[in-house]
Every structure is written in C-alpha cells, then in structure tokens.
Amino acid sequence: MAADPRELIAARIKASRRFAVTSHLRPDGDSLCTALALAEMGRLLGKEAAIVNRDPTPLPFSAFPELAEIRVGQIEARDFDTVVLLECADVSRSGQEGLAPAFKINIDHHFSNTPYADINWIDPAAPAVGEMVFDLSRFLGVTPTPAIAESLYCAIFSDTGSFHFSNTTPRALAAAAELARLGASPVRVAERLYYNNRPEKVLLLGRVLSSLDMRAAGRIAVISMLKRDTEPLGLKEVDTEDMTTLARSIRGVELVMFFKEMGPGTFRVSLRSKGSANAALLAEHFGGGGHVHAAGFTVHGPYETLVREVPATVEALLAGPAGEPPGPAA
Ligand SMILES: [Mn+2]
C-alpha cells in the first residue's frame, strides 16, 4: 500500500529548516489564507517559513495586515530545502521559474494530470486546500492557534463562496465548525470579506450592473466594466466577485460573461457558469482556460463589436459540445 501523502508531507516539513509556500497566478482567498496558515504552523514547529507568490495579493485580501508578509516575486530554490505549491496543477501555474532543483510538495484539491512534485497530495473531494491543510495539522502535531484557525476558516469560507457553492459539503462544514471551536470568528471573517467596501465601490457596482444585457433567451448575462466607469471614481484595483455573483443570481442564467477593459481595445472576459455550461471549453475556444465553472480569456477590438459578437459566438458554442454536461473535474 502506498504511503499516506499526509504522513510524507508532515515528515518532510518536520525535517526541513526553511520552507517556502507558493500558490497559483492570481492567487485567491483559499490559496492565500492557506499559505499563511501553513507558514504559521511551520513556525510553531520552529521552522523558517516564507510565502512567495508571483502575483500580488488582490483585494480584499491585500487589506489583511497578516497577509502583508507575502513576498511577490520568484523563489530562490537554494534558499529553501522544501517548496510547497498550493493548488498548482503544474509548476508553471505558480509562475515560479527556478523550482527545478527544489524539493517540491504539491497539495491540491483539483484534479491534476501531472503529479510533478516529489510528494503529491491531490484530493478532488476536498472542499478547499484550506481544509486539506487543516487535516495536515494533525499529522504535523500542531493544534491551530485561533489566528491559524481563522485563516483556514477564511480559506474554506471564500472557496465555497461563503458556503453557497457545490463544494459546500459535510466535510467543508465539519471543518468550519471545528475551526470555529478553535477560535476562528465567522462574523469577523464575513465582515472583512463582504462588509468592507468603499462607497466608490458601491457606486461602481451600480454602473456595472446597469450594463446588464441578457442574451440567449435569458441563459447568458453579460456585464461590463470599462475604464470610463472606474477612472472617475479613482478605483484602480477592484474586487469584482460580488458583481459576478449578482449577475449569476438572475433566475435562469447559466453563464455570466464579464467584460473588463484592461487597456485600449483589450478586454478580459471572465466566465462563470452554473449547471451544464462548460466555462473552460468556452474559454479555450478564445485561447483562454480555467475550470468548468470559472474560466476566462482575453479579446482585442472595439468594445461595441466585441460585446455583440463574442456572446453570439458563445451562444452558438453552448448549443454544441460546450453545452454538454461537464466531466467530474470541477
Ligand atoms: Mn481552492
């Protein structure tokens, strides 16, 4: 019988002196808060631990003082005896370029085609990587402090869409309950994530929602955020998850297409689907990628043309294979 990867990971971390934790490009709440929790657990064990991501921490997490320790850049492999990659299907997802000589640990709750690391722990049934690292704490012999428990709770809470998404399993809820018992405050986490907006952000929300265009007999909701919406409000970086959530809340909507103007004639299109619409297949058609229910791609051209033609193409694709039920990966 193969060794339990959790035992292998715990043994490696206990034997290490300095380890680094990294996660994927455009890191999310799950990967960020889990990285912090894992680094803190390592410090409780007397290890030096650093968190290094290629991409900066986005809002609302960039406002969390405890996440300010995260370094943005490249990992110097010779500085660490172990590198932990969270939620990276392959090394390139981390944006880290010098990891070839490093001893790598791969922890992921998505299906991964390439068990690329020296130790691989892939559990697609896990609701979040935060839940996996909470599980790992038992193998490390570490009882999470209230701060660590709160980070892990925040990871699970954000990855389940505050317990709305399909990964809100008994396992997710059991871990959340246990973390609350260990000192995580669900109220404080919800306040930080959802009740922390600037007034300009709420004004922007109004503008973006006013752009709503229903297509494909109500199956597709298209919204847009243009520079002319954000610039007068002085907003450079915006968390748009709530805008997507509101568009997705419309009865009958299977796909949200969110056009974001990145520069002159350049638009990032985020796709969020529910039900059978396969966002990843749709994004691949336009040279992008992602997951079954969350994906994206970039298009170039005049906004008025793109916002008409790209949804029309998507509507046609939805009538084909991209409209078929997704596989088991999520
Ligand atoms: Mn996750």
Side-chain angles (χ1 to χ4, degrees), residues 204-221:
L204 177 64
L205 190 64
R207 292 185 185 192
V208 170
L209 293 178
S210 302
S211 73
L212 175 68
D213 184 18
M214 301 300 295
R215 309 286 291 258
R219 292 170 69 203
I220 301 177

Side-chain angles (χ1 to χ4, degrees), residues 24 28 30-31 87 108-110 127-130 155 159 167:
H24 48 82
D28 62 1
D30 189 18
S31 59
E87 311 198 283
D108 196 359
H109 70 116
H110 304 95
V129 79
D159 224 39
N167 54 343

Side-chain angles (χ1 to χ4, degrees), residues 200-256:
E200 293 83 358
K201 167 64 194 295
V202 179
L203 282 169
L204 177 64
L205 190 64
R207 292 185 185 192
V208 170
L209 293 178
S210 302
S211 73
L212 175 68
D213 184 18
M214 301 300 295
R215 309 286 291 258
R219 292 170 69 203
I220 301 177
V222 181
I223 53 174
S224 302
M225 185 170 77
L226 307 180
K227 294 283 186 198
R228 65 171 187 248
D229 301 318
T230 52
E231 276 171 357
L233 293 167
L235 293 167
K236 287 208 167 56
E237 194 215 343
V238 189
D239 174 28
T240 56
E241 206 51 47
D242 47 0
M243 302 172 185
T244 308
T245 300
L246 282 163
R248 242 171 61 105
S249 76
I250 299 165
R251 183 190 311 166
V253 163
E254 294 169 22
L255 181 73
V256 174

Side-chain angles (χ1 to χ4, degrees), residues 279-304:
L281 277 183
L282 294 168
E284 279 164 24
H285 177 85
F286 294 94
H291 300 292
V292 171
H293 290 127
F297 57 90
T298 301
V299 284
H300 303 276
Y303 171 68
E304 283 70 23

